[in-house]
Amino acid sequence: MDFRIEVRIVLLIVILSATFGCSSFSLSSRPTGILAPPEKYKDIIFLINNGGSAKARQFLNTTEIDGPYEAAWVNYFHGLLAMADKDFPKALEIIETGHSRIYHKSSDKFQRLKGRFLKKLGWLQRWNKNYQGATFLHQKEYQVFKKYGSALELHDALISLDVDAYFLKRWDLSEKWLNEALKVASDIDDKDNKLKSLAITHNNLSGTLSSLKKFEQAIQNAILAHKYWTEFQVTKGQDQSREVWATFNIGDIYFAWYQHLKVQEIAGAETYQKKSIDAYKKSLSLARKRKIKKSDILYIKKQLSKVQK
């Protein structure tokens, strides 16, 4: 199973970065981090993501809006609320309306906010299984952030394009987007965000390379993803399941390698079968120590049983 990761929330087609024809910031002149909302709205996303939708909605409905920039953010937040309610058609309508209202705004802050609207619109198209439509919108997001965004925002756009390519089974494009994402991730200035971005990119690249039968490179990337997730958890002390699934991913790739060699009747397949078993067992041990969900432990056991047959 390919554990493709997209954050901030996170998520491509034949147009590569060189063809977009837009100028971009030099590294030194790029903004940093993710565009923050106006100060009085700084807690809204946290509330929406942590079960506080009712409180967020009440605040939005009772707080005076100061100007078009705040109005655009309020529109964006209402779209997120609809997504949190799993009312995706309503979310699409709200976010499309909000995007259209700022489409012709040219200042840097509006452009970066436009990129956030485009990310959500692309996600909603992907939810509708319109992967070409998602790709089109995420390419636009990529264009915006390549010109106006931070390295972190540009990296997020590239991961969105990778995930679109994954659903389209365009492994060649996925590999290209992820190789670019690795370069961008190295430019992220915040240590934790850099570690997380490198972990995500190497994780996704390992799955893509495995699908391309480039197993040696796939394992190298899976091991690097494990390294960066482990470092990230040391600094953040949260989401300990990342190490579990990074170890599981190593097992998955060794298992795919074993199956490939076995089908091709190539000698040495059993070596990778053993490596896969060892990785799955380690993942299972970590899962028990981390006390992750029983359903996840059962899934790991099932995969271990499969490779032992």
Side-chain angles (χ1 to χ4, degrees):
M1 180 176 178
D2 186 334
F3 285 92
R4 190 78 27 167
I5 301 174
E6 182 176 23
V7 293
R8 290 175 290 267
I9 306 40
V10 118
L11 359 258
L12 200 182
I13 217 135
V14 293
I15 305 176
L16 300 178
S17 59
T19 69
F20 283 154
C22 62
S23 61
S24 59
F25 285 120
S26 67
L27 175 60
S28 61
S29 63
R30 277 193 181 277
T32 58
I34 299 292
L35 178 69
E39 179 65 20
K40 67 185 178 186
Y41 299 107
K42 63 183 177 64
D43 296 327
I44 296 296
I45 292 177
F46 177 84
L47 287 171
I48 295 171
N49 291 339
N50 292 276
S53 290
K55 188 174 180 180
R57 187 174 282 111
Q58 181 182 23
F59 181 86
L60 293 172
N61 290 336
T62 57
T63 301
E64 184 177 351
I65 298 170
D66 182 15
Y69 184 63
E70 283 195 5
W73 271 104
V74 169
N75 189 287
Y76 178 77
F77 292 140
H78 279 296
L80 296 186
L81 284 166
M83 292 177 72
D85 293 339
K86 300 192 184 304
D87 190 344
F88 299 122
K90 181 180 179 180
L92 181 61
E93 180 182 352
I94 292 171
I95 294 174
E96 280 182 336
T97 300
H99 177 256
S100 67
R101 287 175 178 169
I102 66 170
Y103 184 79
H104 295 291
K105 301 289 186 181
S106 59
S107 70
D108 289 4
K109 66 180 183 180
F110 271 110
Q111 290 291 336
R112 292 176 74 192
L113 182 53
K114 187 189 300 183
R116 293 184 72 142
F117 274 98
L118 288 164
K119 174 176 282 295
K120 294 303 180 187
L121 287 172
W123 188 95
L124 288 163
Q125 289 302 322
R126 192 193 297 149
W127 176 80
N128 279 324
K129 294 183 169 55
N130 180 8
Y131 305 126
Q132 295 284 5
T135 294
F136 176 76
L137 289 160
H138 286 143
Q139 283 176 337
K140 286 184 173 293
E141 177 201 0
Y142 171 85
Q143 287 177 287
V144 168
F145 286 136
K146 190 168 180 67
K147 187 172 182 180
Y148 297 99
S150 67
L152 186 56
E153 289 167 329
L154 181 57
H155 179 268
D156 282 356
L158 287 161
I159 294 300
S160 292
L161 287 166
D162 158 56
V163 176
D164 295 335
Y166 166 77
F167 281 106
L168 290 166
K169 299 189 185 303
R170 290 297 309 270
W171 313 121
D172 55 330
L173 296 176
S174 170
E175 185 179 13
K176 289 176 181 177
W177 290 121
L178 288 169
N179 281 331
E180 183 175 352
L182 280 178
K183 295 175 184 177
V184 173
S186 67
D187 291 338
I188 296 171
D189 52 0
D190 177 77
K191 180 183 177 182
D192 290 341
N193 283 327
K194 177 182 283 191
L195 285 172
K196 191 171 186 178
S197 297
L198 286 168
I200 289 167
T201 310
H202 281 294
N203 174 86
N204 292 9
L205 187 54
S206 70
T208 292
L209 291 166
S210 180
S211 296
L212 289 167
K213 313 301 181 189
K214 299 179 180 180
F215 295 111
E216 189 169 345
Q217 293 177 54
I219 282 294
Q220 290 170 358
N221 278 274
I223 291 170
L224 282 170
H226 182 277
K227 171 182 178 290
Y228 288 125
W229 278 128
T230 302
E231 289 180 23
F232 177 75
Q233 288 180 172
V234 167
T235 63
K236 298 295 284 186
Q238 62 184 17
D239 198 1
Q240 298 297 313
S241 66
R242 292 293 193 187
E243 185 183 3
V244 174
W245 294 115
T247 307
F248 182 89
N249 185 46
I250 292 171
D252 261 2
I253 292 168
Y254 276 129
F255 186 31
W257 199 347
Y258 159 68
Q259 289 179 308
H260 173 72
L261 293 177
K262 186 178 180 182
V263 168
Q264 299 295 319
E265 297 183 349
I266 298 173
E270 293 76 13
T271 298
Y272 301 103
Q273 180 186 30
K274 183 179 183 305
K275 287 178 181 288
S276 178
I277 290 170
D278 289 345
Y280 285 144
K281 284 182 175 179
K282 185 175 180 181
S283 175
L284 183 59
S285 175
L286 286 169
R288 286 168 172 156
K289 289 178 182 177
R290 302 286 186 261
K291 298 180 180 179
I292 69 170
K293 291 187 299 183
K294 288 184 178 179
S295 59
D296 288 338
I297 291 175
L298 288 173
Y299 180 80
I300 297 170
K301 284 182 175 179
K302 182 179 179 182
Q303 193 70 359
L304 176 59
S305 176
K306 187 188 298 184
V307 73
Q308 287 176 324
K309 288 182 179 178

